[in-house]
Amino acid sequence: MKRSLLCLSTVALLGMLCPAAGRAETVAITGGKVVTLGAAGTIEGGTVLIVDGKVGAVGSNVAIPAGARRIDATGKVVTPGLLDSMTRLGLVEVGAVEGTRDATTRRDEFTAAFDVADAINPRSILIPVNRVEGLTRAIVAPGPGTSLLAGQGAAIHLGYIKGPSDILVTPRIAMFAVLGEAGQGFGGGSRAGALMRLREALADARDYATNRKDYDSGSRREYSLSRLDMEALQPVVKGEMPLVLGGVNRATDIESALRFAKEEKLKVILAGCTEAWIVADQIAAAKVPILINPQEDLPGSFETAGATLENAARLHKAGVTFAFLTGDAHNSRNIRQNAGIAVANGLPWDVSLAAMTSIPAKIWGLSDRYGTLETGKDADVVVWDGDPLEVTSFPTAVFIRGVQMPADNRQLELRDRYKDVGGATPPAYRN
């Protein structure tokens, strides 16, 4: 009997995550305040037409095809779906259970070849938990293990699963490494040592590219990296793949990272950047994008002594390109709360929304298909019952690639199951 109940529960759960009804349709979202974040700006009383998974039209006078399903968004706000620029979504289910954690490898000295796309679970229960609050895309990043190089991350969507790898928007979207206090340990106890090791890794990758035949014949010097790692670093040293330098929080670490990127001629993205406001002019001049959590305001260590809730506002004033991150899996959805905090501390509202949509789309090379509500782009659309940056607001409809997502998840099901504890039998035996 228990086995039968377990099977039925599993089938029900999989049905929620991957329903057969997940098909794109023609939908007209009408009457709302449409924040396109594109050339059309904000349209009061606008219409967003969704056709075959794409944005078919946006405007105040859109012709609606016969038979289109209509959603009345009068008094509501319509935006692109949100994107968290660094998460562990699909790589962790229960943080305290080692068997559900796949974000880090601890085997090799260098781990550039580690590819999180091979471990992402598209049926993770955490995906609907975050999706129901307007998150439609995410960058899934590896975590540092025993090396400065953590591995390669991926861009995913949080929609329906049509095939084993369908959740992947862009695998191997960037290489991730760690500096700052975290990198200090991997550099023999010094930040300078960490940068020295990274330079050695890049030099080995370049030498390998030039001398593959000698390496294959055993007549080339030994490298600090494995063959797989050197192969994985080729797009980085060629400037084709960005290198995300994480844990770069202290102002002097940011300066060192900018010098390192210039000297090595790399395409870099800096993540963390708690004290970025101190060196904002240098970041802007280098035209290097950064990823920040605008909620960071406590000096939890010496490298974050300059933490302030005004970091985002000051960076914007200096002309720095930045996007928001949480670095989380269970609560990646809190990114919009963090964005609201940034607005409360001086960041313009539209810039804060853009830091979760159009700006990361450009940073990650996704802007041709995502980030704004414009004709031809993927229909990642969220209808909000109020200001999306207010914690009391909530989505009334979430579309990913033109498919409306169910407004439920495992947490809501458990809430509904156990909120009424009365009755003749214990809740566990009902239904």
Side-chain angles (χ1 to χ4, degrees):
M1 180 64 179
K2 289 183 178 179
R3 181 178 299 176
S4 298
L5 289 174
L6 177 61
C7 291
L8 287 172
S9 176
T10 303
V11 170
L13 175 59
L14 290 176
M16 180 188 74
L17 296 177
C18 187
R23 301 184 181 90
E25 57 180 331
T26 299
V27 180
I29 302 172
T30 64
K33 178 181 178 180
V34 181
V35 185
T36 70
L37 294 173
T42 298
I43 306 168
E44 297 288 349
T47 294
V48 177
L49 184 65
I50 299 173
V51 181
D52 294 330
K54 304 287 185 181
V55 176
V58 181
S60 55
N61 294 295
V62 174
I64 301 175
R69 180 164 68 92
R70 294 178 182 245
I71 295 178
D72 184 6
T74 303
K76 299 177 181 178
V77 181
V78 184
T79 73
L82 308 184
L83 185 153
D84 186 344
S85 280
M86 190 178 294
T87 76
R88 300 287 187 261
L89 276 169
L91 296 180
V92 61
E93 205 70 31
V94 180
V97 179
E98 185 176 359
T100 72
R101 302 195 306 263
D102 287 295
T104 300
T105 179
R106 301 178 182 87
R107 292 284 298 178
D108 300 323
E109 183 180 7
F110 284 93
T111 52
F114 179 61
D115 185 355
V116 300
D118 295 329
I120 293 174
N121 176 18
R123 297 170 184 83
S124 168
I125 292 175
L126 300 182
I127 288 177
V129 168
N130 288 281
R131 182 175 67 199
V132 75
E133 294 202 35
L135 196 73
T136 67
R137 308 261 167 152
I139 304 300
V140 182
T146 57
S147 166
L148 290 164
L149 292 167
Q152 302 166 84
I156 65 169
H157 69 77
L158 277 63
Y160 290 136
I161 307 159
K162 298 178 182 177
S165 62
D166 181 65
I167 193 172
L168 293 173
V169 175
T170 307
R172 297 174 295 283
I173 197 167
M175 183 70 66
F176 288 77
V178 61
L179 293 176
E181 284 188 7
Q184 182 181 22
F186 299 131
S190 170
R191 287 169 163 82
L195 284 170
M196 178 185 70
R197 298 296 303 280
L198 272 184
R199 286 191 174 96
E200 180 185 26
L202 296 172
D204 283 353
R206 292 186 178 105
D207 189 82
Y208 167 77
T210 305
N211 301 283
R212 272 190 174 92
K213 289 184 179 179
D214 290 340
Y215 177 86
D216 291 340
S217 65
S219 58
R220 194 63 185 166
R221 67 175 175 84
E222 291 187 5
Y223 295 121
S224 61
L225 302 168
S226 70
R227 176 196 293 272
L228 288 176
D229 287 337
M230 290 186 292
E231 292 285 1
L233 281 171
Q234 294 309 306
V236 176
V237 296
K238 293 176 183 177
E240 299 168 354
M241 174 189 285
L243 174 63
V244 181
L245 298 174
V248 183
N249 290 300
R250 198 171 68 174
T252 51
D253 290 337
I254 296 171
E255 292 172 318
S256 295
L258 293 177
R259 286 195 302 270
F260 168 77
K262 183 177 181 180
E263 293 167 1
E264 296 290 339
K265 297 180 174 60
L266 300 176
K267 180 181 179 181
V268 300
I269 300 169
L270 305 185
C273 302
T274 304
E275 291 189 348
W277 63 274
I278 299 175
V279 290
D281 291 340
Q282 295 179 49
I283 300 171
K287 297 182 180 179
V288 170
I290 68 174
L291 311 176
I292 65 172
N293 184 341
Q295 193 178 24
E296 295 290 339
D297 72 327
L298 296 176
S301 65
F302 283 106
E303 69 175 357
T304 59
T308 172
L309 292 176
E310 295 181 2
N311 190 24
R314 295 175 184 179
L315 291 169
H316 171 65
K317 187 176 181 179
V320 176
T321 298
F322 61 86
F324 294 153
L325 63 80
T326 66
D328 206 340
H330 295 76
N331 293 301
S332 182
R333 55 190 173 175
N334 286 348
I335 191 169
R336 68 184 183 96
Q337 176 182 347
N338 298 347
I341 291 172
V343 173
N345 287 274
L347 186 66
W349 185 92
D350 57 334
V351 176
S352 196
L353 180 61
M356 302 180 288
T357 51
S358 58
I359 295 175
K362 293 176 182 176
I363 291 174
W364 297 109
L366 305 174
S367 59
D368 61 329
R369 46 188 156 164
Y370 162 82
T372 60
L373 297 181
E374 295 181 291
T375 302
K377 292 194 176 182
D378 289 351
D380 280 30
V381 186
V382 183
V383 182
W384 306 86
D385 61 11
D387 184 339
L389 304 189
E390 290 283 353
V391 294
T392 54
S393 299
F394 201 78
T396 60
V398 177
F399 288 83
I400 299 179
R401 300 190 302 174
V403 179
Q404 186 168 359
M405 300 292 105
D408 58 8
N409 57 57
R410 186 64 170 167
Q411 291 183 357
L412 293 176
E413 287 188 338
L414 290 172
R415 177 204 66 186
D416 293 341
R417 183 176 186 180
Y418 293 106
K419 67 181 179 181
D420 179 13
V421 295
T425 57
Y429 289 88
R430 297 177 195 159
N431 301 323

